[in-house]
Amino acid sequence: MSVWLPTSPCTPEACAGHEGDTASVPRAVLRLVAAVALILLGILGAPPARLLPAGPRHAVVRAWSAALVRAFGIRITVHGSPGPGGGRLLVANHISWLDIPLVAAALPCRMLAKSDIRAWPVLGRLAGQAGTLFIERDRIRALPATVGAVTAALLAGDRVTVFPEGSTWCGRAQGTFRRAAFQAALDARVPVQPLRLRYLRCDGSPAGAPAFVGDDPLTASLWRIARARGVRAEVRLLPRIPPGRYAHRRDLAAAAQRAIVGPGAGAAITTTLNPLPGVPAQPGRPSATDRDSANRPAASVHHWVSSSPAAASSLRTPS
């Protein structure tokens, strides 16, 4: 794994346990069957859906995405208003592969993902049909083109979602937002809309089952989520940061993260020097954003890439 990629100290053993009620095995199997059926339906329905006008197309995407999340027995609550249309950069904390359909259920958009996903059976095809932007995760020289692609999508009026932490965290804490994604918003002169994502148990405490962290295999994550009961997903659409308020991507990234971590967020910005209780600390690694000049945005786009030690076995979405 490249030393340029950010990491999270969260592990499945320490963070992804489910302490609440569990669904029976037959119910869990039915949930997985329903999810697979919806994914296949999405692949078949994507080509004709692209022919629809924007309004009906977004409604179809929202309905399908919400159905996929609910197929796992997870209820969705959305707070806030998406506001007027037009290009904007959506930035969110990253907890799970479920974040992707969850965000789309609240606000249809294009995602930025690692290029490996294009080769995945079923999911890779679906991602491509959904207009996903891909990044070469280990090629620093390809980063300027990625920034340009995101900027072009924003200028075309698209909403693009990135996860600036660069890796999944368990939801009880957060990693520091990397800056490069925000340069695209500055270049395109579009708003940045922070999204706060949370997975909660019935008592309002963070749910561990959806967390997809560390070396957690996708199959184990799918089964754990299918067995969990009483999990609620919450999306909070926070006020948009208008273009021009911040001239520097560093300040824009910090403002977006402050909004997401704000009062009641149930998370704290955590670095490898201040790990979660029970989570082993990981040695710090050099970051391209840390070494990079603020006037050279392309050199730190790597932070959009997931950086789990077992990224090859995970469905993390780069941000």
Side-chain angles (χ1 to χ4, degrees), residues 1-54:
M1 185 184 68
S2 172
V3 298
W4 295 112
L5 304 181
T7 59
S8 162
C10 301
T11 65
E13 297 78 13
C15 305
H18 180 65
E19 300 176 355
D21 296 335
T22 57
S24 65
V25 171
R27 178 178 287 275
V29 171
L30 286 175
R31 287 177 172 178
L32 291 175
V33 170
V36 171
L38 282 166
I39 291 172
L40 295 177
L41 178 63
I43 293 174
L44 295 175
R50 287 201 301 268
L51 302 176
L52 295 173

Side-chain angles (χ1 to χ4, degrees), residues 14 23-24 52 60 79 84 118 130 199 214 231 241 246 278 295 302 307:
S24 65
L52 295 173
V60 169
H79 302 278
R118 276 186 293 203
Y199 298 92
V231 177
I241 303 173
Y246 298 98
N295 295 320
H302 72 281
S307 58

Side-chain angles (χ1 to χ4, degrees), residues 16-18 20-36 68-74 96-98 199 208-211 216-231:
H18 180 65
D21 296 335
T22 57
S24 65
V25 171
R27 178 178 287 275
V29 171
L30 286 175
R31 287 177 172 178
L32 291 175
V33 170
V36 171
L68 181 60
V69 176
R70 289 169 181 155
F72 286 94
I74 297 176
S96 173
W97 54 266
L98 272 172
Y199 298 92
D216 198 11
L218 178 59
T219 51
S221 175
L222 288 166
W223 184 246
R224 185 175 61 248
I225 294 172
R227 288 297 308 271
R229 293 183 61 186
V231 177

Side-chain angles (χ1 to χ4, degrees), residues 111-263:
M111 297 282 176
L112 186 68
K114 61 183 180 181
S115 58
D116 308 39
I117 292 179
R118 276 186 293 203
W120 290 9
V122 184
L123 291 176
R125 182 176 177 183
L126 181 60
Q129 291 178 339
T132 300
L133 300 169
F134 293 101
I135 178 173
E136 298 289 338
R137 47 183 282 162
D138 290 325
R139 292 185 57 215
I140 298 297
R141 293 181 180 179
L143 300 177
T146 301
V147 173
V150 174
T151 302
L154 295 173
L155 287 171
D158 293 336
R159 292 183 292 242
V160 179
T161 294
V162 298
F163 300 99
E165 292 164 292
S167 185
T168 49
W169 290 64
C170 67
R172 297 176 179 85
Q174 289 185 9
T176 303
F177 277 14
R178 276 23 184 220
R179 311 165 190 169
F182 298 90
Q183 186 64 44
L186 292 175
D187 292 344
R189 299 183 182 276
V190 298
V192 171
Q193 181 156 24
L195 307 181
R196 182 186 303 158
L197 307 182
R198 296 201 295 173
Y199 298 92
L200 305 172
R201 297 169 54 192
C202 294
D203 60 2
S205 61
F212 188 48
V213 294
D215 58 356
D216 198 11
L218 178 59
T219 51
S221 175
L222 288 166
W223 184 246
R224 185 175 61 248
I225 294 172
R227 288 297 308 271
R229 293 183 61 186
V231 177
R232 174 170 60 88
E234 179 183 276
V235 182
R236 190 169 294 274
L237 308 177
L238 299 165
R240 297 187 300 172
I241 303 173
R245 176 169 294 180
Y246 298 98
H248 198 294
R249 63 181 182 176
R250 176 185 57 210
D251 300 327
L252 185 56
Q257 182 152 32
R258 284 195 301 270
I260 292 173
V261 179

